[in-house]
Amino acid sequence: MSPVHKDLLSTILQFLKYENLQDTAHALERETGIFFDAKHFEIMVLGGKFDEAEKYLSGFTNMHDNLDSTKIFFELRKQKFLEALDRKDRPKALDVLTKELQDFSRKHGTLRSYGDPKIERIHVMNALKTFISDNPAFKGKMDPPTSRNASLLRLLVRGDLDGSTSMTRDVTFSGRS
């Protein structure tokens, strides 16, 4: 992605957050991979929204990118499995075990020492923070984007960018003006 496109996407991301369009901002983060919102990811994990956390994560890395990515996906799926067992939702636990944990062929001793789900989520999140910070797939994506073009952000916020300004005629997208 070109620096101009990154800058424009960063400006749009700032605008979306300014306008409190969080879901849209997080979708843009995931779809473009320009910024990983670690706090958003943490809120999903601590809230037990493991499928949503994995979907968000998949915009930045996949399970087979590197060992750190593998560990992140394993921890999410392991926690989902253990919580299904804790809720006595055996069909869900079996589904996670047979469809999601089968990707991990090694045995993990941590499966035997499971405790309270909320405490376990904190442990999982601490491990995930380490894996994410060590993961090369997230290098340069952990700092919130900043726009070098503050005037463009001000125009977006004020609503002055309506297609009639000279600035919009000068911006080129995918070779079209």
Side-chain angles (χ1 to χ4, degrees):
M1 182 178 308
S2 75
V4 172
H5 284 119
K6 271 188 173 181
D7 196 36
L8 182 58
L9 286 170
S10 294
T11 302
I12 293 168
L13 188 57
Q14 286 177 317
F15 173 74
L16 292 171
K17 289 189 177 195
Y18 176 84
E19 291 292 321
N20 202 28
L21 299 168
Q22 299 302 322
D23 292 341
T24 305
H26 294 310
L28 180 64
E29 292 163 355
R30 180 180 50 79
E31 290 177 14
T32 63
I34 63 168
F35 173 64
F36 180 78
D37 188 338
K39 188 65 179 169
H40 173 62
F41 181 72
E42 181 174 357
I43 289 167
M44 287 186 289
V45 171
L46 294 178
K49 297 177 180 177
F50 303 111
D51 291 330
E52 290 177 40
E54 191 169 320
K55 182 179 178 183
Y56 183 73
L57 183 67
S58 69
F60 303 91
T61 188
N62 69 54
M63 182 184 335
H64 305 293
D65 275 350
N66 55 56
L67 184 57
D68 292 313
S69 293
T70 303
K71 289 176 183 178
I72 294 167
F73 281 92
F74 172 76
E75 289 296 329
L76 288 172
R77 292 175 181 188
K78 176 186 80 172
Q79 187 64 26
K80 185 178 2 175
F81 168 73
L82 293 172
E83 288 191 25
L85 285 179
D86 192 51
R87 290 187 314 273
K88 301 194 181 347
D89 185 351
R90 299 203 188 285
K92 178 65 176 177
L94 182 61
D95 188 58
V96 173
L97 184 63
T98 58
K99 293 180 182 169
E100 297 181 41
L101 283 173
Q102 73 177 357
D103 294 331
F104 307 97
S105 59
R106 293 186 312 185
K107 294 189 183 220
H108 292 272
T110 56
L111 290 172
R112 287 181 255 135
S113 61
Y114 181 74
D116 178 78
K118 290 184 180 181
I119 293 171
E120 292 299 325
R121 288 178 191 166
I122 293 169
H123 293 299
V124 166
M125 194 61 231
N126 287 335
L128 293 173
K129 284 179 183 177
T130 300
F131 301 147
I132 289 168
S133 68
D134 293 345
N135 192 329
F138 294 92
K139 297 297 182 217
K141 297 179 181 177
M142 298 295 291
D143 298 320
T146 57
S147 175
R148 288 175 274 183
N149 191 344
S151 61
L152 179 57
L153 180 59
R154 281 193 295 277
L155 287 172
L156 285 170
V157 169
R158 286 193 337 220
D160 290 346
L161 195 56
D162 63 2
S164 63
T165 65
S166 63
M167 182 177 281
T168 57
R169 287 191 300 270
D170 296 336
V171 177
T172 304
F173 296 99
S174 305
R176 291 174 277 154
S177 55

